[in-house]
Every structure is written in C-alpha cells, then in structure tokens.
C-alpha cells in the first residue's frame, strides 16, 4: 500500500453477535479450504483452517487455527492469521480473534487481538489495541479501520508513530 491515512475516531467498533445461531452443531470438518468469490463483491476471500464446525442450517461456521486471504481487485492482497473465528453467511461478518497477525502483499504487518471483516463492504475493523509496522516505521494505537479495496487504513485513536533508521539530513 502506498498511502496511509491516520485519523482519530471516537466510540467503540460494534461487533454484533450472529443472529439465530443454532445451538446444535451440524458438520465437523478438518483441514478446510473455503472460497468466497461472489462476483458482486470487489474483494474475494479464502479461508484455510485446521478445523471447522458448520451449523445444521449451514449458515454459520466456526473455525480454528485459520489463515484468511483477502483479494481485492487490482490491489495488494492482505492476509490475516489467528486462533479462532466465526463466519455468518447471512450477515457476511467474519469475526476473527486470537493473536491476529496481518500482512499486506507490499510489506506492511499489523497485529491485534480481534477484528471483524465485513464481506459486503470489504472492510476490516477492530476497537482493540493495534500495531502496524514496516521496515522504516511502526505505529501503535487503539482501533483500526482498513478498506481493503480502497487501500485506506486508519488508526482510530491514541496514535504513536516511531520512525526507524538514521535521522534525516537537513
């Protein structure tokens, strides 16, 4: 990504629980690969996980030890890996948590504890502490908003930036 915009925003990111989640488990799967390539959305995504459970109505999936690849049209790919997650097909929300590590195809890395990917909008967000780094800088703050298709990233509040390397010559 070539341009980053850091902006403060107040208020927590709302994470909605899945509606009418079935309490009874449907199908258990191991070593799954799921592809979401709906042609009406500009960001396609893939999920690889060591284990998944599908609800009886097949609308809700929980998964563990995952690797998600977000593939925007003509933009750098973003990957996120973590310990557990949930996908609600009805709402298009992909809730990810557990030592999340994200990387962009062009060399940026971010870490946080949890995030929600909104499939319909192509956005990833969290209200938790986040750190973004590259070879020459690191940024820490509270909350993150990433529009994958537009390559727009915002740290929402309490931003601290460190520039690495030798001081510039004036």
């Amino acid at each position: 990504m070539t341009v980053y915009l850091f902006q403060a925003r107040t208020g927590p990111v709302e994470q909605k629980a899945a509606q009418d989640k079935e309490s009874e488990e449907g199908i258990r799967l191991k070593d799954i690969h799921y592809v979401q390539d709906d042609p009406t959305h500009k960001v396609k995504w893939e999920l690889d996980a060591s284990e998944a459970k599908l609800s009886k109505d097949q609308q809700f999936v929980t998964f563990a030890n995952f690797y998600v690849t977000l593939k925007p049209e003509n933009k750098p790919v973003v990957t996120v890996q973590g310990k557990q997650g949930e996908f609600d097909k009805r709402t298009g929300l992909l809730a990810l948590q557990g030592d999340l590590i994200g990387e962009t195809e062009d060399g940026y890395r971010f870490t946080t504890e949890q995030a929600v990917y909104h499939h319909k909008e192509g956005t990833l967000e969290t209200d938790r502490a986040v750190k973004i780094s590259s070879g020459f800088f690191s940024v820490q703050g509270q909350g993150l908003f990433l529009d994958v298709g537009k390559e727009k990233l915002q740290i929402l509040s309490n931003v601290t930036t460190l520039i690495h390397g030798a001081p510039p010559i004036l």
Side-chain angles (χ1 to χ4, degrees):
M1 294 184 190
T2 55
V3 177
Y4 285 100
L5 171 66
F6 300 102
Q7 176 182 349
R9 181 172 96 176
T10 59
V13 174
E14 199 173 301
Q15 181 179 356
K16 296 180 181 177
Q19 299 294 319
D20 304 319
K21 187 188 332 183
E22 291 197 13
S23 59
E24 289 187 50
E25 187 178 296
I27 302 170
R28 277 183 182 261
L29 304 167
K30 297 273 185 194
D31 298 322
I32 64 114
H33 179 76
Y34 178 83
V35 176
Q36 180 61 268
D37 59 358
D38 183 341
T40 62
H41 295 90
K42 290 187 178 183
V43 178
K44 314 300 183 218
W45 59 272
E46 296 180 7
L47 166 68
D48 290 290
S50 66
E51 176 181 329
K53 297 173 190 167
L54 189 60
S55 65
K56 282 189 176 185
D57 66 358
Q58 298 186 358
Q59 295 300 303
F60 192 80
V61 182
T62 60
F63 48 90
N65 303 314
F66 67 87
Y67 189 85
V68 173
T69 305
L70 305 173
K71 299 179 174 182
E73 203 171 277
N74 301 316
K75 303 287 184 193
V77 170
V78 177
T79 60
V80 181
Q81 62 183 352
K83 293 183 179 175
Q84 58 192 29
E86 301 175 341
F87 176 54
D88 186 332
K89 290 181 181 181
R90 292 173 277 210
T91 64
L93 294 181
L94 188 62
L96 310 171
Q97 58 187 6
D99 299 329
L100 299 182
I101 299 171
E103 294 181 355
T104 66
E105 192 172 44
D106 51 357
Y108 297 94
R109 179 181 174 112
F110 62 90
T111 57
T112 189
E113 186 54 36
Q114 71 86 23
V116 175
Y117 178 69
H118 301 264
H119 172 64
K120 294 173 184 171
E121 293 84 15
T123 60
L124 180 78
E125 63 183 318
T126 184
D127 59 359
R128 304 284 176 94
V130 64
K131 181 177 181 179
I132 300 170
S133 59
S134 76
F136 63 94
F137 74 90
S138 62
V139 179
Q140 294 184 44
Q142 193 72 25
L144 169 106
F145 178 83
L146 172 62
D147 187 322
V148 178
K150 293 181 180 176
E151 291 186 271
K152 180 180 176 183
L153 176 98
Q154 298 172 320
I155 301 284
L156 304 177
S157 64
N158 301 326
V159 178
T160 303
T161 303
L162 293 169
I163 307 297
H164 307 291
I169 299 172
L170 300 176

